[in-house]
Amino acid sequence: MRDFNSAIPEEATPALWRRYDEWRAGRHLRFNEKHAGRLTSWRNRRGARRLVLLQVATLVLALAGALMSFVTAWFLIPFLLGVFGSIAVQYALRIVTGSIADTPVPALDEIQLAQRNSARSIGFAVLYTLMFIPYIILIVLGTQDSVSGQSVYGTAILLITLVVIAVVLPTMLTAWWMNDPDPEDLVTDVDEWRHE
């Protein structure tokens, strides 16, 4: 399926890019096939929202670690727990949502495409807004005659944390917007084969 919101006409899209999009669509379908039988009890609105709240908790932990990095070396424990916890929850969210936020256009229907585009748009707005925080800190640090290494290091850790927050946001949004599935959607090929 072509993205009708794309500003690039289909005939102007390079063949290499179209092949890359088709490869990504195949990879998306393989991901969903691989995880079709996993986390089935979480594939509803309530389960998805619980995972989103868990993701928020991991991100808050990472952000607390990032703020601690300005004053202490002990920031590493909450920061790493938050970042690695966020990666694990992100993977679970991708399974639960069918990885809609990361999916190329050819593998999506119209509703999924609209959700993906909205979530990505919000994620991008959050990303460029959050990036002003470390930039302002760097500008303030640049006005001082001497700057401690801890302040520069803390700014870098904060920058990493804010980027992670913005990157996982589209998947969090698609999970939060998720409706309860149609029971027929949860039937796997194995279940269909058993009933035949």
Side-chain angles (χ1 to χ4, degrees), residues 92-161:
L93 280 170
R94 285 186 63 215
I95 292 170
V96 167
T97 62
S99 192
I100 292 173
D102 307 320
T103 305
V105 173
L108 296 173
D109 62 28
E110 291 85 5
I111 294 172
Q112 292 172 331
L113 180 61
Q115 286 181 332
R116 184 202 77 159
N117 288 347
S118 296
R120 283 184 171 186
S121 177
I122 292 168
F124 179 71
V126 168
L127 176 66
Y128 75 72
T129 303
L130 289 178
M131 288 304 98
F132 282 104
I133 296 169
Y135 297 156
I136 290 170
I137 293 171
L138 289 173
I139 290 169
V140 170
L141 291 176
T143 62
Q144 299 175 3
D145 290 334
S146 65
V147 177
S148 72
Q150 190 75 30
S151 297
V152 176
Y153 191 71
T155 305
I157 297 297
L158 180 62
L159 180 62
I160 291 168
T161 306

Side-chain angles (χ1 to χ4, degrees), residues 9-179:
E10 188 171 10
E11 61 275 1
T13 306
L16 179 65
W17 183 260
R18 285 194 301 269
R19 284 196 304 272
Y20 174 67
D21 249 4
E22 289 168 8
W23 173 80
R24 287 178 56 221
R27 186 179 69 172
H28 163 74
L29 294 174
R30 286 189 301 275
F31 177 85
N32 282 339
E33 287 173 7
K34 177 182 175 184
H35 299 292
R38 294 186 179 158
L39 300 177
T40 54
S41 63
W42 291 84
R43 293 180 189 226
N44 54 47
R45 178 175 281 204
R46 185 176 179 189
R49 288 187 172 183
R50 283 182 177 175
L51 282 173
V52 170
L53 293 175
L54 182 59
Q55 181 74 296
V56 169
T58 62
L59 293 172
V60 167
L61 184 61
L63 187 58
L67 295 175
M68 288 171 58
S69 69
F70 284 93
V71 293
T72 180
W74 288 100
F75 79 93
L76 206 53
I77 295 169
F79 174 72
L80 290 178
L81 284 174
V83 169
F84 287 120
S86 177
I87 291 168
V89 176
Q90 176 75 0
Y91 197 78
L93 280 170
R94 285 186 63 215
I95 292 170
V96 167
T97 62
S99 192
I100 292 173
D102 307 320
T103 305
V105 173
L108 296 173
D109 62 28
E110 291 85 5
I111 294 172
Q112 292 172 331
L113 180 61
Q115 286 181 332
R116 184 202 77 159
N117 288 347
S118 296
R120 283 184 171 186
S121 177
I122 292 168
F124 179 71
V126 168
L127 176 66
Y128 75 72
T129 303
L130 289 178
M131 288 304 98
F132 282 104
I133 296 169
Y135 297 156
I136 290 170
I137 293 171
L138 289 173
I139 290 169
V140 170
L141 291 176
T143 62
Q144 299 175 3
D145 290 334
S146 65
V147 177
S148 72
Q150 190 75 30
S151 297
V152 176
Y153 191 71
T155 305
I157 297 297
L158 180 62
L159 180 62
I160 291 168
T161 306
L162 296 177
V163 169
V164 168
I165 290 170
V167 166
V168 301
L169 186 61
T171 303
M172 291 171 63
L173 289 172
T174 55
W176 193 264
W177 298 335
M178 196 168 113
N179 291 324

